[in-house]
Amino acid sequence: MGTFKFEYRFKTEGDGTVVDLTGELERIVEENGLQSGLLNVFVPGSTGAITTIEYEPGLIKDIPELFEKLIPSDRSYYHDQTWGDANGFSHLRAALVGPSITVPVSDGSLQLGTWQQVVFLEFDNRARNRRVVITFVGDLV
């Protein structure tokens, strides 16, 4: 039984960017011989989120539209008055989804559903350099 930490860095184009992390997570599991345990994926920061979706073109368009309806970007939020950065909506959207997800690993494979991928959702109103922290607790091969 051990604990292992990895990081993955990437760039986004700002609000509406959806990044499929599944391939990178599978690579980490395979290359490091992670056999059985829990893999946690966490984004440091308050304007990005981690969740699962079926990563397909329709949903990639639907996700930003959903959040625009739920938490519109074209209105003022108290956060905007505090900092003047006009990204109050970004913080609210990220808080709604959350910064992390934990995926079971069994027999050296992520235990995801057939159409389920782990994704990062960018909510900030500008392009960002992002980092996700990936922690594994469990057994090696």
Side-chain angles (χ1 to χ4, degrees), residues 1-2 7-8 14-15 30 32 39 46 48-50 59 67 78 84 96 100 102 106 122 138:
M1 173 82 78
E7 289 189 2
Y8 180 59
D15 184 38
E30 182 180 334
N32 293 282
L39 190 77
S46 58
I50 304 287
L59 275 174
F67 282 104
Y78 294 111
L96 185 63
S100 68
T102 300
S106 182
E122 179 65 79

Side-chain angles (χ1 to χ4, degrees), residues 48-115:
I50 304 287
T51 192
T52 62
I53 64 168
E54 179 180 349
Y55 188 80
E56 57 87 19
L59 275 174
I60 293 170
K61 292 177 185 172
D62 290 338
I63 293 282
E65 287 183 13
L66 169 70
F67 282 104
E68 190 59 35
K69 289 175 185 173
L70 292 174
I71 305 170
S73 61
D74 62 353
R75 62 157 282 209
S76 179
Y77 295 92
Y78 294 111
H79 173 80
D80 302 336
Q81 296 168 16
T82 302
W83 297 104
D85 53 6
N87 74 345
F89 73 95
S90 307
H91 291 275
L92 295 173
R93 292 175 183 184
L96 185 63
V97 177
S100 68
I101 193 166
T102 300
V103 180
V105 175
S106 182
D107 297 323
S109 297
L110 298 173
Q111 297 301 293
L112 295 170
T114 302
W115 307 111

